[in-house]
Each structure stands twice: as structure tokens, then as C-alpha cells.
Amino acid sequence: MKPWPLVGVRLCLLGCFLHATISLRAADPPELIQIVESHGVVEVSTDGNRWVRTQAGQVLRAQDRLRTGPNSRAALRWSDSSVVPLGPVTAIEIVPPQKAETSFSLRLIKGVLSFFHRDKPGSVRVLTRGGVAGIEGTEFVIAVDDNEQTTVSVIDGRVSLTNEFGAVDLRSGDQGIAIAGSEPKRIVAGFVVNHVLQWAFYYPAVLDLRDVALSADEQRVLADSLTAYRAGDLLVALEKFGTRDPASEAEQVYYAALLLSVGEVARAEGVLTRIDQAAASEQHRRSAVALRQLISTVRHESFSGNRSPESATELLAASYYEQSLALGDTTLMRALSLARRATTNSPEFGFAWARVAELEF
């Protein structure tokens, strides 16, 4: 699946406190702010104290708060033309208009969000602990870390990052950093767009459970998680995995695959590094390489580590990578051939059959 279009944006960060705010046109009713995607633990509070688990379809109004849990994410439809994806461990608040002629706003308390904006220029504002962001354009990413540092990544366009201590102009590919009490700064080196947005991308399941040698005891402990995985419910599979530390190579491969399903790429890569450092068995090493190829596929990076795929896991990862090369019918047919080989190698591998059906369309 292709990532969301990466198109222009212009931000203006103002004020001494960066309270992240995204505005809606005053003429639009607040009912347009709606949860359109909910994965994992997503909760809403209408009074700031009591949190209730929610799902796609719920409407958000002024002063409502929303938060996502670990390994979770959500997306809001801010208007008919704008979408706001939220990353894991993110908290926001809907802020009412300050004046009758102004718009609703979104306060980013912590975490990360991406704003895909097609409303008229100037109709969007974002605020965090370092200033206020007014957006003209189409897309940007803003993150607030545990130290309340705000990082704004400009995909395309211009940004003026401002607070009471100074201002800095940002252009396409630039990042700006703002901390309450100090002058905003521009990171000259720029950033890799796909790395900034990777938490929001879709990572399909490619791991065949036959390619991980779980012990009888591990299969017993992880029975509920494995059942959910075989049924195609990756979120439940991750939830049922629990907080256990994956000790064996087999568990580490499985856990890394689950983390990718919710976009936790950095954590998945950390687990895969443990496998590399442990001189893993050939079976688990090859499965880990296949997961790395999937990461490269979603990032649109070249990859050469899976030259002779054999297992169903390797073949399915190679199928997605082949399609990402985007060379027309040639790559699509190669991708289909690889997926079909995966079903031949593992006839009960449901994700491979789903992949074949997808490509045959």
C-alpha cells in the first residue's frame, strides 16, 4: 500500500507556548471532527478525568480529549478536506474558537501527528508548548516528546517557526525545533520523509508461523496471540502477546512482525538487531532478513539481502518489494508469481492467499 501523498504545507508557529492547534473553518459544524480510524487502544475523555475506550465513527467536540495507547494509532477527519493521523502514545484536545470568526483548534499535548490538509490556506492552526502553528498548504508532521520539545517537519512548502524568543524560516525538507524558553532552531541537514512518517504507514503481515520454531511451551503461552494471528487479527495478536520480553529467537521474530503491523518500526528494528547479534539459526536469520526487506519496501529503499527467497515468509516479503519497484506489469507479474510460490510452500498460510487475491485484481 502506498503512503499518503506527500505534498506541500506551510506552518507559522507563534506565541510563547506551543499548544498544538489545528483549526477548522468557522462555517463548518464541529460534527465534522470524527474518528475515522482506530487501531489498538484509543480513548476519549469529555471531562478531562474519565477515559472511555472508543472506536471509528465517534464525533469529537470542543474540549474533548483523545489519547492513543502504546502500539496504537488513530485518524481524525477534521473536515471533508483534511485528515489528521495520530501516532502511538499521543494525546490531543479539541479547543473551541477564541473568537466568533475563528475556527476550532487541536492542542497536541504529547506524541506525533501528521496533518493532511486540503482546506483553504490559513484555515489550520497547531499549538504546542513552544508556540502556535498556523498552516497554509497540505501536509506536515509535528511531534512533542517527553521533554516537551516540539519538532516540525515540513514535507513541502514554507514554515515560519516563531515564539517570543525569535523566529526561523523553514522550507521543504527542513525541520524546526522549539522548546519553551528558548529560540527556535532550524536543522539544516533536513530529514527523510518516509522515516518521519513510518509510524503511519501500512506494514502487511508476511511472517509464516511455520518459519518460526516456537517451542511447545511458547506455543502454549502464546496460544491466544497465535490464534488471532492465524485469523488475520494482528492488533489482537499483539495485545495478547502482552508485556513479556521475547527471549528466544523464534519469539523475537514473531514479536518484531507484530510490532511492524502497528508501525512500531524502531522497536521492531531493535528486536531484529538482537537476532543479528545473537548469531541466530539460519531459519530465524532468514525470517528476520525478510522483515527487514518489508521495512525497506515501505520506506521505498533499495534492498539486496533477500536475493534467493525460499520460505513462504521470504517469498511474501519479496512479493511486496517487487511491487514497490513500480515497473508496470513486469513487476506486478513477478510479485504475483512470488506470492503464488508462497502459497505452494505453505498452503495454509492465509496472508499469502490474500496477497495472491490482491494481485490478481
Side-chain angles (χ1 to χ4, degrees), residues 40-335:
V41 177
V42 180
E43 298 175 311
V44 168
S45 174
T46 58
D47 60 8
N49 297 311
R50 181 172 174 266
W51 292 91
V52 178
R53 193 159 178 173
T54 187
Q55 58 187 358
Q58 178 162 343
V59 169
L60 299 179
R61 296 179 172 84
Q63 298 181 333
D64 285 354
R65 290 192 175 195
L66 180 147
R67 68 184 183 187
T68 60
N71 305 324
S72 305
R73 56 188 178 185
L76 307 180
R77 186 187 67 201
W78 201 259
S79 73
D80 287 341
S81 303
S82 299
V83 176
V84 184
L86 310 175
V89 195
T90 293
I92 64 169
E93 179 182 358
I94 309 299
V95 180
Q98 294 181 344
K99 300 179 181 179
E101 65 273 14
T102 59
S103 303
F104 283 91
S105 302
L106 183 153
R107 176 176 295 131
L108 176 61
I109 301 167
K110 66 177 181 178
V112 59
L113 63 83
S114 171
F115 199 90
F116 181 57
H117 170 54
R118 289 188 180 275
D119 286 323
K120 63 182 180 181
S123 68
V124 176
R125 296 191 313 156
V126 177
L127 306 156
T128 68
R129 283 290 293 177
V132 180
I135 295 96
E136 296 181 9
T138 52
E139 189 171 14
F140 73 97
V141 177
I142 184 167
V144 176
D145 64 19
D146 292 339
N147 297 318
E148 297 188 336
Q149 173 179 292
T150 296
T151 302
V152 179
S153 304
V154 184
I155 307 301
D156 188 20
R158 296 180 60 185
V159 173
S160 179
L161 179 57
T162 308
N163 63 19
E164 62 180 339
F165 297 96
V168 62
D169 289 329
L170 308 174
R171 296 180 181 271
S172 301
D174 288 343
Q175 284 182 312
I177 294 177
I179 303 173
S182 62
E183 183 179 359
K185 297 179 180 180
R186 172 177 175 266
I187 300 177
V188 180
F191 63 96
V192 179
V193 172
N194 284 352
H195 289 193
V196 170
L197 285 172
Q198 63 186 1
W199 56 270
F201 292 165
Y202 171 65
Y203 288 80
V206 298
L207 181 66
D208 182 5
L209 293 179
R210 298 200 324 171
D211 295 331
V212 287
L214 292 167
S215 68
D217 184 59
E218 289 171 333
Q219 292 184 49
R220 178 185 59 79
V221 173
L222 297 174
D224 291 341
S225 177
L226 295 171
T227 297
Y229 185 88
R230 292 187 180 97
D233 197 334
L234 301 177
L235 294 176
V236 171
L238 179 57
E239 180 181 351
K240 295 298 183 181
F241 190 93
T243 58
R244 62 187 281 116
D245 180 34
S248 71
E249 298 170 5
E251 279 196 62
Q252 288 167 6
V253 172
Y254 178 57
Y255 186 50
L258 294 180
L259 289 173
L260 286 181
S261 71
V262 294
E264 290 278 13
V265 182
R267 291 175 62 193
E269 288 182 314
V271 175
L272 294 175
T273 298
R274 291 171 60 183
I275 296 173
D276 295 339
Q277 296 173 344
S281 67
E282 178 71 6
Q283 179 186 31
H284 295 137
R285 186 191 64 78
R286 293 179 71 100
S287 294
V289 168
L291 294 179
R292 289 189 183 281
Q293 182 176 39
L294 179 63
I295 294 172
S296 295
T297 299
V298 177
R299 288 176 172 173
H300 292 280
E301 298 173 341
S302 61
F303 188 85
S304 59
N306 190 12
R307 294 182 180 277
S308 302
E310 298 176 1
S311 69
T313 297
E314 294 175 291
L315 289 164
L316 199 56
S319 173
Y320 283 105
Y321 182 75
E322 188 69 30
Q323 184 180 358
S324 74
L325 298 178
L327 299 177
D329 289 345
T330 299
T331 51
L332 284 176
M333 292 307 297
R334 289 175 181 168

